[in-house]
Amino acid sequence: EAGVAQSPRYKIIEKRQSVAFWCNPISGHATLYWYQQILGQGPKLLIQFQNNGVVDDSQLPKDRFSAERLKGVDSTLKIQPAKLEDSAVYLCASSLDGMRAGQETQYFGPGTRLLVL
Amino acid sequence: EDQVTQSPEALRLQEGESSSLNCSYTVSGLRGLFWYRQDPGKGPEFLFTLYSAGEEKEKERLKATLTKKESFLHITAPKPEDSATYLCAVEGGSYIPTFGRGTSLIVHP
């Protein structure tokens, strides 16, 4: 079974530029998560989708970050404009069904490493 | 607000020296507590899910236990390949996962 795919793996941009990350979850997984992981810290949830609807985006800086999951499959996370403090690893994860007991285990992709100069 | 605190932040062991990692949590209506392993430059890898106090799960040299306030990840006779950061996460009634900062484990040969 193929795992969670993410691209690009690395990205270097200058502040105030825009950047987009792509995630393709495990086939059949209804729930998709985007996390931000700053060096030395645990992952911080940015947004959680159930199919193509948003479950939670309370920690997404909506003035600069946006995310969508069209057709309930793959997803894109965008930052515009980027700030220095956005330098981090952006992780995508999926679960069979985060809203059902016993099906909420998350499987992570390799992440996208973003450096903002 | 759900909270997860992991200790110690870093742990150095000699090969074969058993130890335990701690995950203390507060959550409203625990739905699950999760342990992950993260190697440098990679995404977290799922290890265990625990659902209720008293539950235990084992995998090779790892054993996870759960009480109403904390979880332990016991590592028996560790090997250098067990070196990684171990992350704990909880999910409660909000359906929103909350991660701890992790414990960085180094096992010396």
Side-chain angles (χ1 to χ4, degrees):
Chain A
E1 181 181 83
V4 177
Q6 289 189 247
S7 67
R9 294 295 312 277
Y10 305 91
K11 192 74 177 178
I12 301 174
I13 61 172
E14 301 208 342
K15 61 183 179 183
R16 292 187 289 274
Q17 286 187 324
S18 62
V19 64
F21 313 127
W22 174 82
C23 172
N24 190 31
I26 293 173
S27 178
H29 279 199
T31 312
L32 186 148
Y33 314 78
W34 282 103
Y35 291 89
Q36 180 192 60
Q37 187 175 27
I38 294 172
L39 189 64
Q41 297 184 20
K44 171 187 152 185
L45 181 69
L46 294 175
I47 189 166
Q48 180 177 341
F49 292 96
Q50 182 74 4
N51 297 307
N52 59 355
V54 176
V55 174
D56 182 81
D57 62 358
S58 57
Q59 299 192 93
L60 186 74
K62 297 181 186 64
D63 58 334
R64 298 184 301 106
F65 286 63
S66 64
E68 60 182 10
R69 190 183 184 197
L70 299 177
K71 301 180 182 179
V73 181
D74 55 354
S75 177
T76 303
L77 176 70
K78 296 180 181 178
I79 308 175
Q80 183 178 10
K83 292 185 175 181
L84 297 177
E85 58 261 36
D86 298 331
S87 295
V89 175
Y90 291 84
L91 294 164
C92 179
S94 70
S95 65
L96 192 59
D97 190 337
M99 310 302 283
R100 287 181 177 268
Q103 297 184 7
E104 66 280 279
T105 297
Q106 297 180 47
Y107 298 90
F108 284 80
T112 296
R113 280 145 190 81
L114 174 67
L115 179 60
V116 182
L117 302 175
Chain B
E1 182 180 324
D2 301 343
Q3 291 189 337
V4 175
T5 303
Q6 292 189 247
S7 62
E9 289 186 10
L11 182 62
R12 291 178 179 268
L13 299 173
Q14 288 297 127
E15 184 172 2
E17 179 187 2
S18 301
S19 188
S20 297
L21 312 183
N22 178 263
C23 171
S24 297
Y25 66 91
T26 56
V27 65
S28 177
L30 180 70
R31 296 183 65 239
L33 183 140
F34 309 88
W35 282 99
Y36 290 86
R37 169 192 171 125
Q38 187 172 26
D39 292 296
K42 296 188 176 181
E45 176 189 347
F46 170 72
L47 293 173
F48 303 109
T49 305
L50 301 169
Y51 292 103
S52 58
E55 189 174 1
E56 299 182 352
K57 289 192 176 174
E58 288 188 65
K59 179 181 178 181
E60 296 180 356
R61 295 177 293 282
L62 300 177
K63 179 180 177 180
T65 62
L66 180 65
T67 72
K68 289 185 177 180
K69 294 183 179 180
E70 58 191 350
S71 176
F72 290 94
L73 184 65
H74 306 279
I75 304 177
T76 302
K79 298 181 177 182
E81 52 262 42
D82 295 322
S83 298
T85 294
Y86 290 85
L87 295 167
C88 173
V90 296
E91 193 168 306
S94 66
Y95 295 90
I96 300 170
T98 300
F99 278 79
R101 296 172 69 102
T103 292
S104 175
L105 173 66
I106 297 176
V107 182
H108 296 284

